[in-house]
Amino acid sequence: MKRILVTGALGQIGTELVTRLREVYGADNVIATDIRKPEDNAVVNGGPFEILDVTDGKAMIEISKKYNVDTIMHLAALLSAVAEAKPQLAWNINMGGLVNALEAARELNCQFFTPSSIGAFGPSTPKNNTPQDTIQRPETMYGVTKVSGELLCDYYYKKFGVDTRGVRFPGLISYVAPPGGGTTDYAVDIYYEALKKGKYTSYIAKGTYMDMMYMPDAINAIIKLMEADASKLKHRNAFNITAMSFEPEQIAAEIKKHIPEFEMDYDVDPVRQGIAETWPDSIDPSAAMEEWGFKAEYDLAKMTEDMLEKLRAKGIK
Ligand code: VAH
């Protein structure tokens, strides 16, 4: 039976991942951790929860030993836009936290997952159908930490035999937990604003394509990768995965099918637009499909229908 430690459990991915892992492996076998412990929170109240600052390596190992974990899913990190505003802090958290998590996995012989991102690519990377193995020269601190993280996780696999696995996530869209400080967050905000105000001002420019994925597909991908037969994996850190690629006009048009009066205009944020322009337009997920059967269930139409339905059910209007 897996006993899983999750860092960053209150974040956009962590919130849904912990809930799903507890359904699959049993609530008591999933130890959620984060740097804060809010009152009345499903992740905090749904099973074991510990406050953990991932830059505290001693605490990471102590909590891992306390619960006798055999798997670490390390999610705690600063996302692209925040990382660009605080690059030194981003390096300390994203890399300091990762080293601590990998050391705990090495010392306690844990299987290990951490996400990379399409942010691990840069302007010299082929932009269309970006290959699994290609040039990675990102020009953002977020991207630097993601490429460094991929290399470090492969090193821990080759040097110490730690069973490290990862995916390069596209922008993730969820109705559960709001995103925090990403470049792709416009694709989440737009649904909330469409329901609340019937209009949205996009900070990403018309015609800017980025890979995206609905959160249920992201959670399924993590579980499927971690359960995959290790002998079939030619890659480990990290697999390209994606469900769709769109630009703001396309998501707006899909929303208008449900909310005909919806309107969108633009007020482009040069920082996040600048980040988005260094990322691929679309990536090639074939290695993940071949090596561990990755498959996305949601396209833009199916995601939009479900997002609006679930947000309305939450009382967003
Ligand atoms: C961000 N949502 O925008 C994250 C993600 C691919 C984007 O890494 O920073």
Side-chain angles (χ1 to χ4, degrees), residues 49-66:
F49 183 92
E50 296 278 351
I51 291 179
L52 173 61
D53 175 344
V54 295
T55 61
D56 181 347
K58 187 167 174 293
M60 178 89 75
I61 289 195
E62 280 170 358
I63 291 173
S64 301
K65 282 180 177 172
K66 175 180 174 183

Side-chain angles (χ1 to χ4, degrees), residues 135-202:
I135 302 160
Q136 290 181 261
R137 301 287 295 181
E139 296 181 348
T140 64
M141 175 54 86
Y142 179 70
V144 168
T145 68
K146 287 302 173 185
V147 170
S148 305
E150 290 186 11
L151 297 173
L152 197 59
C153 289
D154 275 348
Y155 178 83
Y156 267 70
Y157 169 64
K158 293 190 177 87
K159 176 83 174 180
F160 303 119
V162 179
D163 182 1
T164 60
R165 306 180 189 193
V167 295
R168 292 171 186 144
F169 274 134
L172 298 181
I173 295 158
S174 161
Y175 62 86
V176 179
T183 296
T184 60
D185 299 347
Y186 90 91
V188 179
D189 302 343
I190 191 170
Y191 288 108
Y192 284 83
E193 295 300 297
L195 289 169
K196 287 184 204 171
K197 300 178 186 162
K199 62 181 180 179
Y200 178 64
T201 298
S202 174

Side-chain angles (χ1 to χ4, degrees), residues 80-82 84-85 140 183 203-204 268-278:
S80 57
V82 171
E84 214 48 35
T140 64
T183 296
Y203 60 74
I204 292 293
V268 175
D269 168 11
V271 172
R272 286 179 287 186
Q273 182 62 25
I275 293 170
E277 287 174 0
T278 67

Side-chain angles (χ1 to χ4, degrees), residues 121 125-136 168 235 238 240 280 282-287:
F121 298 118
T125 302
K127 278 188 90 65
N128 292 302
N129 204 31
T130 301
Q132 174 64 43
D133 301 306
T134 187
I135 302 160
Q136 290 181 261
R168 292 171 186 144
H235 298 84
N240 284 3
S282 64
I283 65 174
D284 172 8
S286 54

